[in-house]
Amino acid sequence: MDRYVVIGNPIAHSQSPFIHQAFAEQTGQVLSYERLLLPLDNFAGGLADFVQQGGFGCNVTVPFKTDALAVADVLSERAMLAEAVNTLKVQEDGRLFADNTDGAGLVMDLKRLGVPLAGQRILLLGAGGAARGVMGPLLAEQPAALIVTNRTHARAEELAKRFAGLGPVSHQPLEGLHGAFDLIINSTSASLQGERLSLPASLCHSNTRVYDMMYGKEDTPFMCWAAEQGVTHRYDGLGMLVGQAAESFYLWRGVRPEMEPVMQALRARLEQER
Ligand code: NDP
């Protein structure tokens, strides 16, 4: 059976096996997909063992996305731009192809939700790995402005500089954020830690939409802040998670799975786990 894994540390929480097994069932593909926990100091060795044992491909998550970049033989343009890799495929010639599907997953989900992107003013909170992965695909949708802000301001500044050639990107310090936005995306892990970002009410207008990359929780501090500002269009990152997986699945198998039934099944599963 064609073998795939998701590699991380920790990895027990990953929903990727559930998603990919559902995709495989839906599309009639015969494959196995499991979790692979690797020691923090031996990503390359663990991956080499997996490939040697006949592995076909893998997803890579925290904290190995830059390690995956380093071991790749061939990089997609979006992985190169993001300087982070979440998908590896063993090519027929044995070389490792590396991609980053996070941004495609986010944009796919925003389009599915009917969120306009072209001509919009977008605020991106955070400048970590997830932010790096989504900036290129967001700029490709031709927003009027993409402003990045981060707790450590120098990282936002650096990101804005790196992507400046791709569109109207700039940065603002987190304290002192100003202007109103059509879409606010939270890519910080503050929600994960239950921490509240200090954001001014003036960021929202009557039709602002918000997206929290954290998934499966509608009452994160960021979502609660948005609700307090009267924002009614609030979305979590579950569709992004399924979207990036669908893009990886397509890269490996050449078949595009349907996202909607898998999203519904995953949401029900997360509800049950709570
Ligand atoms: P990183 O660790 O690479 O980056 C974390 C970011 O959050 C940094 O910008 C960091 O700022 C900021 N941050 C952390 N804590 C706080 C805080 N208390 N207040 C303000 N800013 C804070 O993580 P990732 O970018 O990989 O992931 C970020 C989030 O996105 C996670 O919640 C993750 O689960 C989610 N995610 C969801 C995906 C999906 O498919 N739905 C895909 C990928 C990620 P600083 O630079 O100052 O440290």
Side-chain angles (χ1 to χ4, degrees), residues 127-130 150-152 155 187-189 193 195 197 213 237 241:
N150 192 45
R151 180 175 62 180
T152 310
R155 293 183 81 191
S187 84
T188 73
S189 43
Q193 303 147 8
E195 278 183 42
L197 300 163
M213 285 194 192
L241 180 74

Side-chain angles (χ1 to χ4, degrees), residues 34-255:
E34 285 153 13
R35 296 182 182 88
L36 178 58
L37 175 75
L38 286 184
L40 294 173
D41 59 354
N42 194 24
F43 173 80
L47 177 71
D49 288 346
F50 168 71
V51 173
Q52 205 170 21
Q53 288 156 19
F56 271 62
C58 59
N59 284 126
V60 180
T61 186
V62 177
F64 296 127
K65 288 187 180 181
T66 16
D67 300 74
L69 182 85
V71 299
D73 299 308
V74 187
L75 284 176
S76 74
E77 201 184 323
R78 50 197 188 185
M80 223 181 296
L81 264 174
E83 290 186 350
V85 161
N86 76 338
T87 309
L88 288 168
K89 177 187 176 176
V90 182
Q91 296 185 154
E92 274 173 23
D93 62 6
R95 292 193 305 162
L96 270 180
F97 177 77
D99 199 358
N100 187 315
T101 64
D102 280 342
L106 172 68
V107 169
M108 216 187 290
D109 194 35
L110 290 169
K111 287 186 173 171
R112 183 190 65 84
L113 292 162
V115 177
L117 296 171
Q120 303 291 291
R121 280 176 53 78
I122 303 175
L123 175 64
L124 180 62
L125 305 169
R132 275 211 313 264
V134 303
M135 282 185 72
L138 281 174
L139 286 167
E141 297 299 318
Q142 302 187 315
L146 175 61
I147 285 135
V148 56
T149 186
N150 192 45
R151 180 175 62 180
T152 310
H153 183 60
R155 293 183 81 191
E157 219 169 328
E158 190 257 309
L159 266 197
K161 219 179 272 174
R162 168 134 44 103
F163 286 87
L166 295 185
V169 55
S170 59
H171 56 88
Q172 284 187 16
L174 193 52
E175 316 78 27
L177 268 179
H178 57 275
F181 295 88
D182 304 305
L183 172 63
I184 305 175
I185 300 170
N186 180 26
S187 84
T188 73
S189 43
S191 287
L192 215 57
Q193 303 147 8
E195 278 183 42
R196 199 171 173 119
L197 300 163
S198 163
L199 301 170
S202 57
L203 299 181
C204 301
H205 57 62
S206 60
N207 203 24
T208 295
R209 296 157 197 255
V210 301
Y211 192 101
D212 197 337
M213 285 194 192
M214 186 170 163
Y215 55 83
K217 241 185 140 198
E218 273 143 36
D219 57 350
T220 64
F222 174 67
M223 291 292 221
C224 292
W225 169 82
E228 286 160 20
Q229 312 317 312
V231 174
T232 50
H233 299 290
R234 305 187 298 270
Y235 313 107
D236 77 344
L238 187 125
M240 174 179 173
L241 180 74
V242 176
Q244 59 80 27
E247 195 72 7
S248 299
F249 192 87
Y250 177 68
L251 178 76
W252 294 326
R253 311 300 299 181
V255 185

